[in-house]
Amino acid sequence: IGGWYDVFLRSTIGSYQTMKLEAASETARNGQRMIIGPWPHGWNISSKTGDIDFGPNALINAEEIFLEWFDYWMKDGPALSGSPIKIFVMGENVWREEEVWPLANTQFTPFYLHADQTLSPNVPTQKDSTLKYQYDPSDPVPTLGGNIMETTLRGPYDQAPLDVRKDVLRFETAPFEKPTEITGPISAEIYAASNAKDTDFMAKLVVVRPDGTSSNLVDGVIRARYRDGFDEPRLINPGTVYKYTIDMWATSYLLAPGEKLRLDVTSSNYPRLARNLNTGAEFAKTSKMKIARQTIHMSEASPSKVILPIIPR
């Protein structure tokens, strides 16, 4: 059990999926259940997370659910009610039960980054298209919401205070014309080059409302040296374009007509994530810093994109 803004969301979902696949007995594999609400860590305490109040439906009778669970497994009580997965769809602010994760009818849909800073299903056709920004680790992008333990920072927050920053590239969809649900795991594939030997790339998915307010849904990070996995760290060649796959964890949100999605690309999110000092030195072994000049590629050969789990309605 966890929340969409829980710092342990990735582990909650990962534990459920691993147990479903690899538990030692069929009984254990079939006995897993998962609940994810609109909460941070310290779930089911308040209907409000960050700036948003998700309404009275946001809280559940956890004690009743736990007692039913223990009565069944420890006292041979009645069969458990409902489906194995119970998720809260933000935006619509309702609970829904599901049988599998990711959802069986998920349509994983790429939305591509374009040089005019739009985000759309249209595949880039340009031969060479880039945008640049500069990342200075002495002036990192401050954390504003997300999956973090710090109670004053976690959850969804209006991202307007970050709008003045030049070290964030923003890519925005057209307004959605009909209700559109995104529920499931989200990832980004960013083609990028840097003048540093090591650096970070980050992606944040944001909902933009018709009145201009915005709030963060999910975000993720990749450290360049770990682009091929933690067991194969390798520094990068300055100026070389690499594909970076960013795990943005998961969410569930129903976009209302008129709302837009925005993908913010940058290289820091402090203090949620430790700064990369861009020198190539091992973590915590130096205090020296280097300004990194980052280039994001959005061409036919290097189609940067975010992959959204669209749920047909």
Side-chain angles (χ1 to χ4, degrees), residues 200-213:
D200 291 348
F201 291 101
M202 302 180 184
K204 179 191 295 183
L205 193 65
V206 176
V207 175
V208 181
R209 299 177 184 84
D211 64 1
T213 60

Side-chain angles (χ1 to χ4, degrees), residues 140-157:
V141 177
T143 298
L144 184 56
N147 301 57
I148 186 172
M149 191 70 79
E150 168 56 51
T151 56
T152 62
L153 296 175
R154 65 193 186 188
Y157 284 91

